[in-house]
Amino acid sequence: MNINGHHFRTIWPAPEDKQSVCIIDQRQLPHQFVIESLTCVDDAITAIKDMHVRGAGLIGATAGFGMYLAAIKASDHDVDAKLKEAAMRLNKSRPTARNLGWAIERVLAATKKVSEGAEKKKAAYMTACEIADEDAAFCRQIGVHGLELIAAISKEKNGEPVNILTHCNAGWLAFVDYGSATAPIYAARDAGIAVHVWVDETRPWNQGAKLTAWELQQEGIANTLITDNTGGHLMQNGLVDLVIVGSDRTTHTGDVANKIGTYLKALAAHDNNIPFYVALPSSTFDWELEDGAQIPIEQRSGDEITSISGMNDTTGKVATVRLVATGTKAVNYSFDITPARLISGLITERGIVQANKEAIHALFPDKKHN
Ligand code: MRU
């Protein structure tokens, strides 16, 4: 992904000595582009919990590097114990994205295969890097497969722009590179297909307004910001050709947890016969849960609803203001479940698959499932 013409990933080990890990502090976007350095597992936990980084793929990659930071801070005889403790603490940093636990388990498995402390540290580093590289490669493949959907619609429309609606940020910023929902859009642009994106603002954290719109702007993709309530109206009026969203956790039966409000978009798409696709790498599948209702749904502070932050153009500073009367109570569910029956298909790194157990198992026979 290019920012002002320079290619960035969203996370990378410090090139000088690899003793720290660099991230982009997403709380500051789109007003400031700030690179933050994580030097220990506590920094990684804070970054995930307080949403300096966010999005399923990037949460997983940060957890992988957090495990590495825990390993290098340990003395050589103590690496396993320190990794176990780090795993427990990282696991609690956010509940919904499956990639978090998946990445932690992957580092633990790799470090258990070797016996010396120094080898364990090396294995943690190699695995964290593999997780990040694989995330980028898988998102790129999601782009290749998702492009087919956009190309078919473009052909039907005789090259008129394809209008794609997306919710939240399942873009580059939610992964290591490319994004999941955005990868097909970038691939379409690269193939010379005209696209336009409707960006849901995604209250209360405003990932759409603050991140997706900025990201698409940086990449020169035509986009228009809308309130979360606008999608249904646009769909009824023939202004949406396709919906592509991401996922934080998808059961192996095809139910999708994604940012709160996704379910309402799926209902509206269903009612208007508009294809509704979910783009996700295989690291987001939960191979144990049978039913979306079993997915843990994060509840965050009501303060995210009762106040809002943004640039004060007079002072040139970012400020937070209260939106409501003092004492207003707010409840803040961060995710909802879209049942498989409302989903046209899942766009994965291996191809597009129907959102049902048989099809998902057939595409991923090598994964451990129930
Ligand atoms: O709370 P967040 O920002 O970590 O939520 C995750 C998301 O960005 C979305 O739900 C996204 O659509 C899926 S994550 C790739």
Side-chain angles (χ1 to χ4, degrees):
M1 165 83 196
N2 288 320
I3 304 300
N4 299 326
H6 294 285
H7 179 260
F8 280 91
R9 280 187 168 188
T10 54
I11 189 164
W12 64 96
E16 333 60 79
D17 58 2
K18 302 183 175 53
Q19 296 298 297
S20 61
V21 174
C22 303
I23 58 162
I24 298 158
D25 183 353
Q26 298 192 19
R27 297 168 309 164
Q28 317 294 336
L29 291 171
H31 307 299
Q32 290 183 77
F33 187 79
V34 176
I35 293 173
E36 183 186 340
S37 173
L38 311 179
T39 59
C40 59
V41 66
D42 290 281
D43 288 351
I45 292 168
T46 303
I48 296 171
K49 204 172 169 166
D50 295 345
M51 293 176 70
H52 309 202
V53 293
R54 36 141 310 277
L58 182 55
I59 288 173
T62 307
F65 280 115
M67 292 289 280
Y68 162 63
L69 292 173
I72 56 171
K73 294 281 174 198
S75 39
D76 275 357
H77 66 274
D78 207 19
V79 181
D80 278 339
K82 288 284 186 275
L83 281 175
K84 197 172 160 200
E85 189 194 324
M88 250 164 49
R89 295 178 53 232
L90 273 164
N91 246 321
K92 289 187 195 144
S93 55
R94 286 195 75 190
T96 304
R98 172 60 196 135
N99 304 57
L100 175 71
W102 169 87
I104 293 167
E105 287 153 23
R106 187 160 163 173
V107 176
L108 282 178
T111 51
K112 275 194 189 120
K113 282 191 192 141
V114 289
S115 48
E116 301 296 323
E119 288 175 318
K120 287 180 186 288
K121 292 177 186 182
K122 192 169 167 206
Y125 178 73
M126 300 297 288
T127 310
C129 291
E130 268 167 35
I131 289 168
D133 290 347
E134 194 179 281
D135 184 85
F138 283 2
C139 282
R140 194 180 184 141
Q141 278 307 112
I142 286 169
V144 170
H145 299 301
L147 167 62
E148 293 167 22
L149 296 170
I150 301 176
I153 297 171
S154 167
K155 204 168 159 202
E156 266 171 42
K157 292 184 79 176
N158 295 319
E160 285 295 304
V162 178
N163 289 303
I164 301 162
L165 185 140
T166 194
H167 189 66
C168 196
N169 174 267
W172 162 71
L173 286 161
F175 289 88
V176 173
D177 211 342
Y178 305 102
S180 64
T182 49
I185 296 167
Y186 294 138
R189 183 268 320 269
D190 293 345
I193 296 171
V195 286
H196 164 262
V197 183
W198 295 112
V199 180
D200 280 355
E201 62 173 345
T202 320
R203 284 277 289 143
W205 214 79
N206 295 307
Q207 287 93 333
K210 290 183 170 176
L211 305 177
T212 306
W214 176 79
E215 184 181 323
L216 294 173
Q217 205 175 318
Q218 290 292 327
E219 282 287 325
I221 306 272
N223 68 93
T224 308
L225 183 64
I226 52 175
T227 65
D228 293 327
N229 296 327
T230 304
H233 173 75
L234 294 177
M235 291 184 204
Q236 282 177 326
N237 285 280
L239 295 169
V240 178
D241 299 305
L242 170 68
V243 181
I244 310 180
V245 297
S247 173
D248 298 271
R249 190 185 294 236
T250 293
T251 64
H252 65 127
T253 56
D255 292 339
V256 166
N258 195 48
K259 184 53 59 188
I260 192 81
T262 303
Y263 170 52
L264 291 176
K265 294 297 133 69
L267 283 173
H270 191 256
D271 195 45
N272 289 282
N273 270 324
I274 292 165
F276 182 97
Y277 281 87
V278 179
L280 70 155
S282 51
S283 46
T284 300
F285 277 112
D286 188 315
W287 299 106
E288 283 172 12
L289 298 187
E290 288 285 319
D291 185 340
Q294 298 168 298
I295 296 176
I297 299 292
E298 178 179 24
Q299 275 196 58
R300 297 181 63 84
S301 163
D303 295 352
E304 290 179 358
I305 299 179
T306 56
S307 56
I308 196 159
S309 69
M311 174 60 74
N312 178 331
D313 282 330
T314 310
T315 62
K317 292 199 171 121
V318 174
T320 301
V321 293
R322 177 164 48 80
L323 279 172
V324 299
T326 47
T328 301
K329 208 175 133 197
V331 65
N332 187 6
Y333 293 97
S334 275
F335 301 92
D336 62 21
I337 306 298
T338 299
R341 67 186 159 79
L342 296 177
I343 298 167
S344 311
L346 306 172
I347 313 171
T348 76
E349 74 271 13
R350 293 194 190 170
I352 299 177
V353 64
Q354 284 182 348
N356 66 58
K357 189 169 175 172
E358 294 67 37
I360 295 169
H361 286 200
L363 190 63
F364 293 97
D366 49 322
K367 303 286 175 193
K368 249 209 240 161
H369 16 72
N370 293 331

